[in-house]
Amino acid sequence: MAYTQGTAQDTNTLAGVLRINDANLSDVEFNDVIQPTEFMKVLPFVSASRGTQHSWTVITAAPGFSFRELNTGVSNAAGKEKTVTANLKLLDASFHRDAATVLSPRMTMDQYLQREAMKSLNAALVGMEKQLILGTSEQANGFDGLADILDIWGDMGEDLGGDGGTRVYMLSLSPDRIAGVIGGATVGQEGNIDVSDPYLTTITDDNGTYDAWRVKETGWVGLQIAGAYSGAVAFNIDGTTGKTVDDDLLAGLYTKFPSQHKDAVNCILMSRTGLKQLRDSMITDLVPSPAFPTNWGGAGRPIPIVVSDAVDETEAKQVS
């Protein structure tokens, strides 16, 4: 081969630090790790209503009304409301590095820790995107995601009957519908992912203690899906005949939204497999090689399509 492939090293080991400090390295750094954050780029975020919990009101029944004759009374029922509370989960990307790590003029300790902090924070954001979409199937200790919450409302789900496969979500993203939530360990300080400056501390392991530089990166996070008509999902899309992503499927999802909620739909979330299926469904004799769609116009207006690698492409068969 024309290239010599080096051995991957952990960045907190001597071999890894020596690799970073190699004077022969250029400034080019390419990431071969699949780290999707496309959904988070369009998802609005709100501050939690109180500390590590986020609560909101859902109207479950409208007040009653009647037509009446003059001088004839009526008894109208009161409406009904309920409180929904999401318990946020602690996202922790904190790390430490041995204070005795030997660095060269190419990279100072401050530069090394800054580099490690940015990589850890980016990994945390990637993990958040996966949790937002996959929910507790990604990390059981994490918060409920789209896959968990939308399963609650059967009327907004479309089972294509395939042998598992991928999913498509049609969503209303806004601060009062679907939004990410960031809380805070202290009431009144919600809305931040806390990243500390590096500080020197003592680490204890089975062999004893050593000094280390530590950076804390923590935040309380969750997902708000305000009500039943905030999103719809199609699942068991295995790519076989009649079980693919196409215009008819998207139209079916769109018609699940009552008329008062249709205009709020502003995102279609799918996997790369789903996008390929949608593109292939557009092939005709006149257009044998259509472009990959970036939006869906079946609603009479363009609804953006967001593709995330966090959407499962090989999900086991789901029972509706």
Side-chain angles (χ1 to χ4, degrees):
M1 292 181 63
Y3 292 164
T4 299
Q5 301 286 344
T7 302
Q9 307 288 349
D10 291 334
T11 59
N12 64 341
T13 63
L14 177 59
V17 172
L18 289 174
R19 194 212 64 79
I20 292 171
N21 284 303
D22 186 348
N24 295 314
L25 283 177
S26 72
D27 292 331
V28 176
E29 182 172 297
F30 187 83
N31 190 352
D32 261 348
V33 181
I34 296 176
Q35 295 185 304
T37 56
E38 301 308 307
F39 183 51
M40 288 183 60
K41 292 177 182 177
V42 299
L43 180 70
F45 277 81
V46 299
S47 296
S49 59
R50 182 175 177 83
T52 61
Q53 288 189 323
H54 182 58
S55 301
W56 63 94
T57 298
V58 174
I59 300 170
T60 59
F65 71 93
S66 301
F67 295 100
R68 67 179 181 86
E69 299 289 344
L70 287 175
N71 303 313
T72 303
V74 295
S75 179
N76 290 326
K80 292 185 178 182
E81 300 176 351
K82 67 180 179 180
T83 298
V84 178
T85 298
N87 294 311
L88 310 185
K89 300 295 184 177
L90 181 61
L91 178 70
D92 191 340
S94 305
F95 67 92
H96 63 268
R97 298 292 183 264
D98 196 319
T101 300
V102 179
L103 298 172
S104 72
R106 175 183 169 82
M107 184 174 292
T108 66
M109 178 60 79
D110 284 344
Q111 291 171 327
Y112 171 66
L113 291 173
Q114 184 180 47
R115 180 177 186 270
E116 294 293 278
M118 289 302 298
K119 288 166 57 181
S120 294
L121 185 59
N122 184 63
L125 295 176
V126 171
M128 193 188 304
E129 168 130 336
K130 292 180 178 179
Q131 197 72 30
L132 286 165
I133 295 172
L134 299 174
T136 52
S137 68
E138 171 62 16
Q139 287 200 27
N141 291 331
F143 55 86
D144 289 343
L146 291 174
D148 299 305
I149 301 173
L150 289 183
D151 280 348
I152 296 173
W153 297 303
D155 290 344
M156 298 302 287
E158 182 72 23
D159 184 358
L160 266 67
D163 189 20
T166 191
R167 292 187 177 208
V168 173
Y169 295 94
M170 190 168 284
L171 307 170
S172 300
L173 307 183
S174 69
D176 59 352
R177 289 178 181 263
I178 296 180
V181 183
I182 300 179
T186 303
V187 174
Q189 297 183 6
E190 298 86 1
N192 294 304
I193 301 293
D194 295 320
V195 180
S196 74
D197 291 329
Y199 62 94
L200 200 59
T201 188
T202 299
I203 303 297
T204 302
D205 64 16
D206 293 339
N207 298 314
T209 63
Y210 63 94
D211 292 334
W213 288 101
R214 180 167 174 78
V215 176
K216 290 181 66 176
E217 298 181 342
T218 58
W220 290 89
V221 295
L223 176 65
Q224 167 194 288
I225 298 185
Y229 302 117
S230 298
V233 58
F235 53 96
N236 288 331
I237 306 171
D238 65 4
T240 59
T241 302
K243 302 175 179 63
T244 62
V245 182
D246 58 17
D247 189 74
D248 286 343
L249 171 62
L250 298 182
L253 286 180
Y254 187 68
T255 56
K256 288 184 176 294
F257 291 88
S259 58
Q260 72 193 74
H261 296 283
K262 288 184 184 299
D263 288 345
V265 176
N266 58 5
C267 175
I268 299 172
L269 176 66
M270 64 180 67
S271 65
R272 284 183 285 166
T273 292
L275 183 67
K276 176 66 161 54
Q277 291 176 4
L278 181 58
R279 181 260 184 194
D280 289 350
S281 73
M282 300 162 61
I283 294 175
T284 65
D285 291 339
L286 294 176
V287 186
S289 183
F292 282 96
T294 58
N295 60 72
W296 178 67
R301 58 184 174 88
I303 299 177
I305 294 172
V306 175
V307 177
S308 174
D309 285 312
V311 179
D312 201 342
E313 296 184 318
T314 57
E315 183 178 51
K317 184 177 179 64
Q318 301 297 298
V319 179
S320 59

